Amino acid sequence: MAEHVEAVAPQEIDPEDAKIVTLARSSRARTGAAEGAAVRDTDGRTYAACTVALPSLRLTALQAAVAAAVASGAEGIEAAAVVTDADAVDADSVAAVHDLTRTAAILRADATGTVAGVLQA
């Protein structure tokens, strides 16, 4: 698998990207999960999810958000956001987004919603 390099976050982010960061942050806060994530599909619809850690099912927040989008009929992802304490977006999360769209930007934000980095294909 190719290595993905995270770029420094821009000073200002697009309002639509800010929306998915807010959704991801809300999802994480509501459940107390390790991570929250949200994606925007190519039709502009958004899907939010959090880490799933059950005995029989484990998904990263971003995998769960992508799964929700696919289950709703999304054919592509325009952008994604992950709220996490980690220093990078894990490879399984990146792979889930890239299964639908290789060019979607993935924003990594902290618990305050501050975007720390952007992963581009």
Side-chain angles (χ1 to χ4, degrees):
M1 178 186 274
E3 180 149 341
H4 305 283
V5 178
E6 184 178 273
V8 175
Q11 292 284 19
E12 291 186 36
I13 63 170
D14 178 89
E16 290 300 312
D17 289 345
K19 177 181 173 182
I20 61 172
V21 170
T22 299
L23 289 170
R25 186 173 174 227
S26 297
S27 181
R28 180 184 189 219
R30 181 175 49 255
T31 63
E35 294 184 338
V39 298
R40 183 176 60 250
D41 72 12
T42 52
D43 290 330
R45 297 175 296 189
T46 56
Y47 309 87
C50 63
T51 306
V52 177
L54 300 172
S56 64
L57 178 64
R58 295 201 173 277
L59 296 172
T60 69
L62 197 46
Q63 286 173 321
V66 169
V70 170
S72 296
E75 295 181 6
I77 299 294
E78 189 174 277
V82 179
V83 173
T84 182
D85 293 330
D87 292 334
V89 178
D90 66 273
D92 291 337
S93 294
V94 173
V97 171
H98 287 173
D99 282 346
L100 290 182
T101 307
R102 301 280 317 161
T103 59
I106 302 172
L107 293 85
R108 181 179 56 86
D110 65 19
T112 69
T114 301
V115 176
V118 179
L119 197 106
Q120 296 284 2

